[in-house]
Amino acid sequence: MGVSRRHPQDSTRINILESWDLQYWSDRWNVPRQQVVDAIRRVGDQVHDVAQALGKM
């Protein structure tokens, strides 16, 4: 415990079950975590698809 991860293990997918993963992408795109979750639910967990859904591409 107490291990801080700076980057996701899989840079092509967002793991909705991992709080730190959601926080990483939320911070990177400067959007609320819930917005990332909502985008994942709409378009799936592929980083490229989520980024597009959030207008970050």
Side-chain angles (χ1 to χ4, degrees):
M1 287 192 141
V3 175
S4 176
R5 295 183 180 164
R6 292 184 159 180
H7 301 284
Q9 288 182 2
D10 181 351
S11 63
T12 64
R13 293 177 175 248
I14 302 169
N15 186 344
I16 199 169
L17 301 176
E18 292 289 350
S19 179
W20 61 267
D21 206 10
L22 286 173
Q23 190 63 51
Y24 171 83
W25 292 106
S26 171
D27 291 347
R28 179 166 175 173
W29 291 322
N30 196 32
V31 298
R33 287 171 54 157
Q34 188 59 48
Q35 197 171 345
V36 176
V37 170
D38 293 344
I40 291 169
R41 289 186 176 142
R42 281 195 319 272
V43 301
D45 66 356
Q46 296 289 320
V47 170
H48 181 267
D49 296 339
V50 175
Q52 274 190 312
L54 294 173
K56 301 298 179 177
M57 299 267 333

Short mmCIF file of all heavy atoms in Angstrom, two decimals:
data_model
loop_
_atom_site.label_atom_id
_atom_site.label_comp_id
_atom_site.label_asym_id
_atom_site.label_seq_id
_atom_site.Cartn_x
_atom_site.Cartn_y
_atom_site.Cartn_z
N MET A 1 0.82 -1.19 0.00
CA MET A 1 0.00 0.00 0.00
C MET A 1 0.86 1.25 0.00
O MET A 1 2.03 1.19 0.31
CB MET A 1 -0.90 0.01 1.22
CG MET A 1 -2.03 -0.96 1.16
SD MET A 1 -3.13 -0.53 2.50
CE MET A 1 -4.66 -0.78 1.74
N GLY A 2 0.22 2.36 -0.30
CA GLY A 2 0.96 3.60 -0.32
C GLY A 2 1.79 3.81 -1.56
O GLY A 2 2.56 4.73 -1.64
N VAL A 3 1.63 2.92 -2.54
CA VAL A 3 2.38 3.05 -3.78
C VAL A 3 1.67 4.06 -4.67
O VAL A 3 0.49 3.93 -4.95
CB VAL A 3 2.48 1.69 -4.52
CG1 VAL A 3 3.14 1.86 -5.86
CG2 VAL A 3 3.24 0.71 -3.67
N SER A 4 2.37 5.08 -5.08
CA SER A 4 1.80 6.11 -5.93
C SER A 4 2.18 5.82 -7.38
O SER A 4 3.34 5.67 -7.70
CB SER A 4 2.35 7.47 -5.51
OG SER A 4 1.87 8.46 -6.40
N ARG A 5 1.18 5.75 -8.23
CA ARG A 5 1.44 5.49 -9.64
C ARG A 5 1.21 6.79 -10.40
O ARG A 5 0.16 7.40 -10.29
CB ARG A 5 0.50 4.42 -10.15
CG ARG A 5 0.77 3.11 -9.50
CD ARG A 5 -0.12 2.05 -10.08
NE ARG A 5 0.16 0.79 -9.43
CZ ARG A 5 -0.62 -0.26 -9.47
NH1 ARG A 5 -1.75 -0.21 -10.13
NH2 ARG A 5 -0.29 -1.36 -8.86
N ARG A 6 2.17 7.16 -11.20
CA ARG A 6 2.06 8.40 -11.95
C ARG A 6 1.39 8.20 -13.30
O ARG A 6 0.76 9.09 -13.81
CB ARG A 6 3.44 9.00 -12.17
CG ARG A 6 4.04 9.48 -10.91
CD ARG A 6 5.34 10.13 -11.20
NE ARG A 6 5.69 11.02 -10.12
CZ ARG A 6 6.78 11.74 -10.08
NH1 ARG A 6 7.62 11.68 -11.06
NH2 ARG A 6 7.02 12.52 -9.07
N HIS A 7 1.57 7.03 -13.88
CA HIS A 7 1.02 6.76 -15.20
C HIS A 7 0.29 5.42 -15.19
O HIS A 7 0.69 4.51 -14.49
CB HIS A 7 2.13 6.71 -16.25
CG HIS A 7 2.90 7.99 -16.33
ND1 HIS A 7 2.40 9.11 -16.94
CD2 HIS A 7 4.11 8.34 -15.85
CE1 HIS A 7 3.29 10.08 -16.84
NE2 HIS A 7 4.33 9.65 -16.18
N PRO A 8 -0.75 5.30 -16.00
CA PRO A 8 -1.47 4.03 -16.08
C PRO A 8 -0.59 2.92 -16.62
O PRO A 8 0.31 3.16 -17.42
CB PRO A 8 -2.61 4.31 -17.05
CG PRO A 8 -2.52 5.73 -17.43
CD PRO A 8 -1.29 6.32 -16.86
N GLN A 9 -0.87 1.70 -16.19
CA GLN A 9 -0.12 0.54 -16.69
C GLN A 9 -0.39 0.32 -18.17
O GLN A 9 0.49 -0.04 -18.92
CB GLN A 9 -0.49 -0.71 -15.90
CG GLN A 9 0.06 -0.71 -14.51
CD GLN A 9 -0.29 -1.98 -13.76
OE1 GLN A 9 -0.90 -2.89 -14.29
NE2 GLN A 9 0.13 -2.05 -12.53
N ASP A 10 -1.64 0.50 -18.58
CA ASP A 10 -2.01 0.35 -19.98
C ASP A 10 -2.42 1.72 -20.49
O ASP A 10 -3.46 2.25 -20.13
CB ASP A 10 -3.18 -0.63 -20.10
CG ASP A 10 -3.61 -0.88 -21.54
OD1 ASP A 10 -3.14 -0.16 -22.45
OD2 ASP A 10 -4.44 -1.77 -21.77
N SER A 11 -1.59 2.31 -21.33
CA SER A 11 -1.84 3.67 -21.78
C SER A 11 -2.91 3.76 -22.88
O SER A 11 -3.21 4.85 -23.35
CB SER A 11 -0.55 4.31 -22.27
OG SER A 11 -0.05 3.60 -23.38
N THR A 12 -3.48 2.63 -23.29
CA THR A 12 -4.50 2.66 -24.33
C THR A 12 -5.91 2.52 -23.77
O THR A 12 -6.87 2.76 -24.49
CB THR A 12 -4.28 1.53 -25.36
OG1 THR A 12 -4.42 0.27 -24.72
CG2 THR A 12 -2.91 1.65 -26.01
N ARG A 13 -6.02 2.13 -22.49
CA ARG A 13 -7.33 1.93 -21.88
C ARG A 13 -7.39 2.61 -20.52
O ARG A 13 -6.39 2.73 -19.84
CB ARG A 13 -7.62 0.44 -21.68
CG ARG A 13 -7.78 -0.30 -22.95
CD ARG A 13 -7.98 -1.79 -22.71
NE ARG A 13 -8.24 -2.42 -23.97
CZ ARG A 13 -9.41 -2.94 -24.30
NH1 ARG A 13 -10.39 -2.93 -23.45
NH2 ARG A 13 -9.59 -3.46 -25.49
N ILE A 14 -8.59 3.00 -20.13
CA ILE A 14 -8.81 3.58 -18.81
C ILE A 14 -9.57 2.55 -17.97
O ILE A 14 -10.63 2.08 -18.38
CB ILE A 14 -9.63 4.88 -18.91
CG1 ILE A 14 -8.92 5.88 -19.82
CG2 ILE A 14 -9.87 5.46 -17.51
CD1 ILE A 14 -9.76 7.08 -20.19
N ASN A 15 -9.01 2.22 -16.82
CA ASN A 15 -9.64 1.25 -15.94
C ASN A 15 -10.59 1.99 -15.00
O ASN A 15 -10.16 2.64 -14.05
CB ASN A 15 -8.58 0.49 -15.15
CG ASN A 15 -9.18 -0.62 -14.31
OD1 ASN A 15 -10.38 -0.66 -14.08
ND2 ASN A 15 -8.33 -1.52 -13.86
N ILE A 16 -11.86 1.88 -15.28
CA ILE A 16 -12.88 2.59 -14.51
C ILE A 16 -12.94 2.13 -13.06
O ILE A 16 -13.45 2.84 -12.19
CB ILE A 16 -14.26 2.44 -15.21
CG1 ILE A 16 -15.23 3.52 -14.74
CG2 ILE A 16 -14.81 1.06 -15.03
CD1 ILE A 16 -16.48 3.62 -15.55
N LEU A 17 -12.41 0.96 -12.77
CA LEU A 17 -12.44 0.42 -11.41
C LEU A 17 -11.27 0.90 -10.55
O LEU A 17 -11.26 0.67 -9.35
CB LEU A 17 -12.45 -1.11 -11.45
CG LEU A 17 -13.62 -1.73 -12.20
CD1 LEU A 17 -13.47 -3.25 -12.26
CD2 LEU A 17 -14.95 -1.33 -11.57
N GLU A 18 -10.29 1.55 -11.16
CA GLU A 18 -9.12 2.03 -10.43
C GLU A 18 -9.21 3.54 -10.25
O GLU A 18 -9.12 4.30 -11.20
CB GLU A 18 -7.83 1.69 -11.19
CG GLU A 18 -7.52 0.23 -11.23
CD GLU A 18 -7.08 -0.34 -9.89
OE1 GLU A 18 -6.83 0.43 -8.93
OE2 GLU A 18 -6.98 -1.57 -9.80
N SER A 19 -9.38 3.95 -9.01
CA SER A 19 -9.53 5.37 -8.69
C SER A 19 -8.34 6.21 -9.19
O SER A 19 -8.51 7.28 -9.74
CB SER A 19 -9.70 5.54 -7.18
OG SER A 19 -9.81 6.88 -6.84
N TRP A 20 -7.12 5.68 -8.99
CA TRP A 20 -5.93 6.43 -9.40
C TRP A 20 -5.87 6.59 -10.92
O TRP A 20 -5.37 7.59 -11.42
CB TRP A 20 -4.65 5.77 -8.88
CG TRP A 20 -4.45 4.37 -9.37
CD1 TRP A 20 -4.84 3.23 -8.76
CD2 TRP A 20 -3.84 3.97 -10.60
NE1 TRP A 20 -4.51 2.14 -9.52
CE2 TRP A 20 -3.89 2.57 -10.66
CE3 TRP A 20 -3.24 4.67 -11.64
CZ2 TRP A 20 -3.38 1.85 -11.72
CZ3 TRP A 20 -2.73 3.95 -12.71
CH2 TRP A 20 -2.81 2.55 -12.73
N ASP A 21 -6.39 5.60 -11.66
CA ASP A 21 -6.39 5.67 -13.12
C ASP A 21 -7.35 6.77 -13.58
O ASP A 21 -7.02 7.60 -14.43
CB ASP A 21 -6.78 4.32 -13.71
CG ASP A 21 -6.23 4.07 -15.10
OD1 ASP A 21 -5.38 4.86 -15.56
OD2 ASP A 21 -6.64 3.08 -15.72
N LEU A 22 -8.54 6.80 -13.00
CA LEU A 22 -9.49 7.85 -13.32
C LEU A 22 -8.93 9.22 -12.97
O LEU A 22 -9.09 10.18 -13.72
CB LEU A 22 -10.81 7.63 -12.57
CG LEU A 22 -11.69 6.51 -13.09
CD1 LEU A 22 -12.86 6.29 -12.15
CD2 LEU A 22 -12.17 6.81 -14.49
N GLN A 23 -8.25 9.30 -11.82
CA GLN A 23 -7.69 10.58 -11.41
C GLN A 23 -6.59 11.04 -12.37
O GLN A 23 -6.51 12.22 -12.70
CB GLN A 23 -7.12 10.48 -9.99
CG GLN A 23 -6.74 11.82 -9.41
CD GLN A 23 -7.94 12.73 -9.26
OE1 GLN A 23 -8.96 12.34 -8.70
NE2 GLN A 23 -7.84 13.95 -9.78
N TYR A 24 -5.78 10.09 -12.83
CA TYR A 24 -4.72 10.44 -13.79
C TYR A 24 -5.32 11.09 -15.03
O TYR A 24 -4.88 12.16 -15.46
CB TYR A 24 -3.92 9.18 -14.18
CG TYR A 24 -2.96 9.45 -15.32
CD1 TYR A 24 -1.71 10.01 -15.06
CD2 TYR A 24 -3.31 9.18 -16.64
CE1 TYR A 24 -0.83 10.28 -16.11
CE2 TYR A 24 -2.44 9.46 -17.68
CZ TYR A 24 -1.20 10.00 -17.41
OH TYR A 24 -0.34 10.29 -18.44
N TRP A 25 -6.31 10.45 -15.63
CA TRP A 25 -6.89 10.98 -16.88
C TRP A 25 -7.69 12.24 -16.63
O TRP A 25 -7.68 13.17 -17.44
CB TRP A 25 -7.72 9.90 -17.57
CG TRP A 25 -6.84 8.80 -18.07
CD1 TRP A 25 -6.70 7.54 -17.54
CD2 TRP A 25 -5.91 8.88 -19.16
NE1 TRP A 25 -5.76 6.84 -18.24
CE2 TRP A 25 -5.26 7.63 -19.24
CE3 TRP A 25 -5.57 9.87 -20.06
CZ2 TRP A 25 -4.28 7.36 -20.20
CZ3 TRP A 25 -4.61 9.60 -21.03
CH2 TRP A 25 -3.97 8.35 -21.08
N SER A 26 -8.37 12.31 -15.49
CA SER A 26 -9.10 13.51 -15.13
C SER A 26 -8.15 14.71 -15.03
O SER A 26 -8.42 15.79 -15.57
CB SER A 26 -9.82 13.29 -13.79
OG SER A 26 -10.37 14.47 -13.31
N ASP A 27 -7.02 14.51 -14.37
CA ASP A 27 -6.02 15.57 -14.24
C ASP A 27 -5.41 15.92 -15.60
O ASP A 27 -5.22 17.08 -15.92
CB ASP A 27 -4.91 15.15 -13.28
CG ASP A 27 -5.37 15.07 -11.84
OD1 ASP A 27 -6.47 15.56 -11.51
OD2 ASP A 27 -4.63 14.48 -11.03
N ARG A 28 -5.11 14.91 -16.37
CA ARG A 28 -4.47 15.13 -17.67
C ARG A 28 -5.35 15.96 -18.61
O ARG A 28 -4.87 16.83 -19.32
CB ARG A 28 -4.12 13.79 -18.31
CG ARG A 28 -3.48 13.96 -19.67
CD ARG A 28 -2.86 12.72 -20.16
NE ARG A 28 -2.39 12.94 -21.51
CZ ARG A 28 -1.67 12.09 -22.18
NH1 ARG A 28 -1.32 10.97 -21.62
NH2 ARG A 28 -1.30 12.35 -23.40
N TRP A 29 -6.65 15.65 -18.59
CA TRP A 29 -7.58 16.35 -19.47
C TRP A 29 -8.24 17.55 -18.80
O TRP A 29 -9.03 18.25 -19.43
CB TRP A 29 -8.64 15.39 -20.00
CG TRP A 29 -8.09 14.37 -20.95
CD1 TRP A 29 -7.13 14.57 -21.90
CD2 TRP A 29 -8.48 13.00 -21.07
NE1 TRP A 29 -6.91 13.40 -22.60
CE2 TRP A 29 -7.72 12.42 -22.10
CE3 TRP A 29 -9.39 12.20 -20.40
CZ2 TRP A 29 -7.85 11.10 -22.49
CZ3 TRP A 29 -9.52 10.88 -20.78
CH2 TRP A 29 -8.75 10.34 -21.81
N ASN A 30 -7.95 17.76 -17.52
CA ASN A 30 -8.51 18.88 -16.77
C ASN A 30 -10.04 18.88 -16.81
O ASN A 30 -10.67 19.89 -17.13
CB ASN A 30 -7.94 20.21 -17.28
CG ASN A 30 -8.19 21.34 -16.32
OD1 ASN A 30 -8.23 21.12 -15.10
ND2 ASN A 30 -8.38 22.52 -16.84
N VAL A 31 -10.61 17.71 -16.51
CA VAL A 31 -12.06 17.56 -16.43
C VAL A 31 -12.38 16.79 -15.15
O VAL A 31 -11.54 16.07 -14.62
CB VAL A 31 -12.64 16.80 -17.65
CG1 VAL A 31 -12.39 17.55 -18.94
CG2 VAL A 31 -12.10 15.39 -17.74
N PRO A 32 -13.61 16.93 -14.64
CA PRO A 32 -14.00 16.16 -13.45
C PRO A 32 -13.97 14.66 -13.73
O PRO A 32 -14.23 14.21 -14.85
CB PRO A 32 -15.42 16.63 -13.17
CG PRO A 32 -15.59 17.91 -13.91
CD PRO A 32 -14.66 17.83 -15.09
N ARG A 33 -13.65 13.90 -12.69
CA ARG A 33 -13.61 12.43 -12.84
C ARG A 33 -14.92 11.88 -13.38
O ARG A 33 -14.93 10.97 -14.20
CB ARG A 33 -13.29 11.77 -11.50
CG ARG A 33 -11.86 11.95 -11.11
CD ARG A 33 -11.58 11.50 -9.73
NE ARG A 33 -12.01 10.13 -9.51
CZ ARG A 33 -11.53 9.34 -8.58
NH1 ARG A 33 -10.61 9.78 -7.76
NH2 ARG A 33 -11.96 8.12 -8.43
N GLN A 34 -16.05 12.43 -12.90
CA GLN A 34 -17.35 11.92 -13.35
C GLN A 34 -17.53 12.11 -14.84
O GLN A 34 -18.15 11.29 -15.51
CB GLN A 34 -18.49 12.60 -12.59
CG GLN A 34 -19.85 11.97 -12.87
CD GLN A 34 -19.90 10.50 -12.50
OE1 GLN A 34 -19.49 10.11 -11.41
NE2 GLN A 34 -20.38 9.67 -13.41
N GLN A 35 -16.95 13.15 -15.39
CA GLN A 35 -17.03 13.38 -16.83
C GLN A 35 -16.28 12.28 -17.58
O GLN A 35 -16.72 11.83 -18.64
CB GLN A 35 -16.47 14.76 -17.17
CG GLN A 35 -16.87 15.24 -18.53
CD GLN A 35 -16.49 16.69 -18.75
OE1 GLN A 35 -16.18 17.42 -17.82
NE2 GLN A 35 -16.52 17.12 -19.98
N VAL A 36 -15.15 11.85 -17.04
CA VAL A 36 -14.39 10.74 -17.64
C VAL A 36 -15.23 9.46 -17.57
O VAL A 36 -15.36 8.73 -18.56
CB VAL A 36 -13.03 10.55 -16.94
CG1 VAL A 36 -12.30 9.34 -17.52
CG2 VAL A 36 -12.17 11.80 -17.08
N VAL A 37 -15.82 9.20 -16.41
CA VAL A 37 -16.65 8.00 -16.23
C VAL A 37 -17.82 8.01 -17.22
O VAL A 37 -18.11 7.00 -17.87
CB VAL A 37 -17.17 7.90 -14.78
CG1 VAL A 37 -18.22 6.81 -14.64
CG2 VAL A 37 -16.01 7.66 -13.82
N ASP A 38 -18.49 9.14 -17.33
CA ASP A 38 -19.63 9.25 -18.26
C ASP A 38 -19.20 8.99 -19.70
O ASP A 38 -19.90 8.30 -20.45
CB ASP A 38 -20.29 10.62 -18.14
CG ASP A 38 -20.96 10.83 -16.79
OD1 ASP A 38 -21.20 9.85 -16.05
OD2 ASP A 38 -21.24 12.01 -16.47
N ALA A 39 -18.04 9.52 -20.08
CA ALA A 39 -17.54 9.31 -21.44
C ALA A 39 -17.21 7.83 -21.66
O ALA A 39 -17.52 7.28 -22.72
CB ALA A 39 -16.31 10.17 -21.70
N ILE A 40 -16.62 7.18 -20.67
CA ILE A 40 -16.31 5.75 -20.79
C ILE A 40 -17.59 4.95 -20.98
O ILE A 40 -17.64 4.03 -21.80
CB ILE A 40 -15.53 5.25 -19.55
CG1 ILE A 40 -14.13 5.87 -19.54
CG2 ILE A 40 -15.46 3.72 -19.52
CD1 ILE A 40 -13.37 5.65 -18.24
N ARG A 41 -18.61 5.30 -20.25
CA ARG A 41 -19.89 4.58 -20.38
C ARG A 41 -20.51 4.77 -21.76
O ARG A 41 -21.20 3.89 -22.25
CB ARG A 41 -20.84 5.03 -19.28
CG ARG A 41 -20.41 4.52 -17.93
CD ARG A 41 -21.41 4.84 -16.85
NE ARG A 41 -20.97 4.22 -15.59
CZ ARG A 41 -21.11 4.79 -14.41
NH1 ARG A 41 -21.68 5.98 -14.30
NH2 ARG A 41 -20.70 4.17 -13.33
N ARG A 42 -20.24 5.93 -22.38
CA ARG A 42 -20.79 6.20 -23.72
C ARG A 42 -19.98 5.54 -24.83
O ARG A 42 -20.56 5.00 -25.77
CB ARG A 42 -20.83 7.71 -23.98
CG ARG A 42 -21.96 8.43 -23.34
CD ARG A 42 -22.17 9.84 -23.91
NE ARG A 42 -20.93 10.58 -24.14
CZ ARG A 42 -20.32 11.35 -23.25
NH1 ARG A 42 -20.79 11.46 -22.03
NH2 ARG A 42 -19.22 12.00 -23.56
N VAL A 43 -18.65 5.63 -24.75
CA VAL A 43 -17.83 5.22 -25.90
C VAL A 43 -16.87 4.07 -25.63
O VAL A 43 -16.15 3.64 -26.52
CB VAL A 43 -17.03 6.42 -26.46
CG1 VAL A 43 -17.96 7.54 -26.89
CG2 VAL A 43 -16.01 6.93 -25.46
N GLY A 44 -16.82 3.59 -24.39
CA GLY A 44 -15.89 2.50 -24.06
C GLY A 44 -14.64 3.04 -23.39
O GLY A 44 -14.52 4.25 -23.15
N ASP A 45 -13.71 2.14 -23.09
CA ASP A 45 -12.55 2.50 -22.26
C ASP A 45 -11.27 2.83 -23.03
O ASP A 45 -10.23 3.06 -22.43
CB ASP A 45 -12.27 1.42 -21.23
CG ASP A 45 -11.83 0.10 -21.86
OD1 ASP A 45 -11.80 0.00 -23.11
OD2 ASP A 45 -11.53 -0.83 -21.11
N GLN A 46 -11.34 2.90 -24.34
CA GLN A 46 -10.16 3.25 -25.13
C GLN A 46 -9.83 4.74 -24.94
O GLN A 46 -10.70 5.60 -25.13
CB GLN A 46 -10.38 2.96 -26.61
CG GLN A 46 -10.58 1.50 -26.93
CD GLN A 46 -9.28 0.73 -26.79
OE1 GLN A 46 -8.21 1.20 -27.16
NE2 GLN A 46 -9.39 -0.47 -26.26
N VAL A 47 -8.59 5.04 -24.59
CA VAL A 47 -8.17 6.41 -24.32
C VAL A 47 -8.50 7.33 -25.49
O VAL A 47 -9.04 8.42 -25.31
CB VAL A 47 -6.67 6.47 -23.97
CG1 VAL A 47 -6.17 7.90 -23.94
CG2 VAL A 47 -6.40 5.78 -22.64
N HIS A 48 -8.21 6.90 -26.70
CA HIS A 48 -8.46 7.72 -27.89
C HIS A 48 -9.94 8.07 -28.00
O HIS A 48 -10.29 9.23 -28.26
CB HIS A 48 -7.98 6.97 -29.14
CG HIS A 48 -8.17 7.74 -30.39
ND1 HIS A 48 -9.30 7.62 -31.17
CD2 HIS A 48 -7.39 8.67 -30.99
CE1 HIS A 48 -9.19 8.43 -32.22
NE2 HIS A 48 -8.05 9.08 -32.12
N ASP A 49 -10.82 7.10 -27.81
CA ASP A 49 -12.26 7.32 -27.92
C ASP A 49 -12.77 8.26 -26.83
O ASP A 49 -13.59 9.14 -27.09
CB ASP A 49 -13.01 6.00 -27.86
CG ASP A 49 -12.69 5.09 -29.04
OD1 ASP A 49 -12.23 5.60 -30.09
OD2 ASP A 49 -12.90 3.87 -28.90
N VAL A 50 -12.28 8.07 -25.61
CA VAL A 50 -12.69 8.93 -24.49
C VAL A 50 -12.21 10.35 -24.73
O VAL A 50 -12.95 11.31 -24.53
CB VAL A 50 -12.18 8.37 -23.14
CG1 VAL A 50 -12.52 9.32 -22.00
CG2 VAL A 50 -12.79 6.99 -22.87
N ALA A 51 -10.97 10.50 -25.18
CA ALA A 51 -10.43 11.83 -25.46
C ALA A 51 -11.28 12.54 -26.51
O ALA A 51 -11.59 13.73 -26.36
CB ALA A 51 -8.98 11.72 -25.92
N GLN A 52 -11.65 11.83 -27.55
CA GLN A 52 -12.50 12.42 -28.58
C GLN A 52 -13.85 12.83 -28.00
O GLN A 52 -14.34 13.92 -28.30
CB GLN A 52 -12.73 11.43 -29.72
CG GLN A 52 -11.64 11.47 -30.76
CD GLN A 52 -12.02 10.67 -31.99
OE1 GLN A 52 -12.47 9.54 -31.88
NE2 GLN A 52 -11.84 11.26 -33.15
N ALA A 53 -14.43 11.97 -27.19
CA ALA A 53 -15.75 12.26 -26.59
C ALA A 53 -15.68 13.49 -25.71
O ALA A 53 -16.66 14.23 -25.59
CB ALA A 53 -16.24 11.05 -25.80
N LEU A 54 -14.53 13.72 -25.10
CA LEU A 54 -14.35 14.88 -24.21
C LEU A 54 -13.85 16.12 -24.98
O LEU A 54 -13.63 17.16 -24.37
CB LEU A 54 -13.36 14.54 -23.10
CG LEU A 54 -13.82 13.47 -22.11
CD1 LEU A 54 -12.69 13.10 -21.18
CD2 LEU A 54 -15.04 13.93 -21.33
N GLY A 55 -13.65 15.98 -26.28
CA GLY A 55 -13.15 17.10 -27.07
C GLY A 55 -11.70 17.42 -26.80
O GLY A 55 -11.27 18.57 -26.93
N LYS A 56 -10.91 16.41 -26.44
CA LYS A 56 -9.50 16.62 -26.09
C LYS A 56 -8.55 16.13 -27.17
O LYS A 56 -7.37 15.95 -26.92
CB LYS A 56 -9.18 15.91 -24.76
CG LYS A 56 -10.03 16.39 -23.60
CD LYS A 56 -9.80 17.86 -23.33
CE LYS A 56 -10.66 18.36 -22.20
NZ LYS A 56 -10.40 19.76 -21.89
N MET A 57 -9.03 15.95 -28.37
CA MET A 57 -8.17 15.50 -29.47
C MET A 57 -8.15 16.57 -30.54
O MET A 57 -9.01 17.31 -30.73
CB MET A 57 -8.69 14.21 -30.09
CG MET A 57 -8.72 13.07 -29.14
SD MET A 57 -7.34 11.95 -29.02
CE MET A 57 -6.51 11.91 -30.51
#
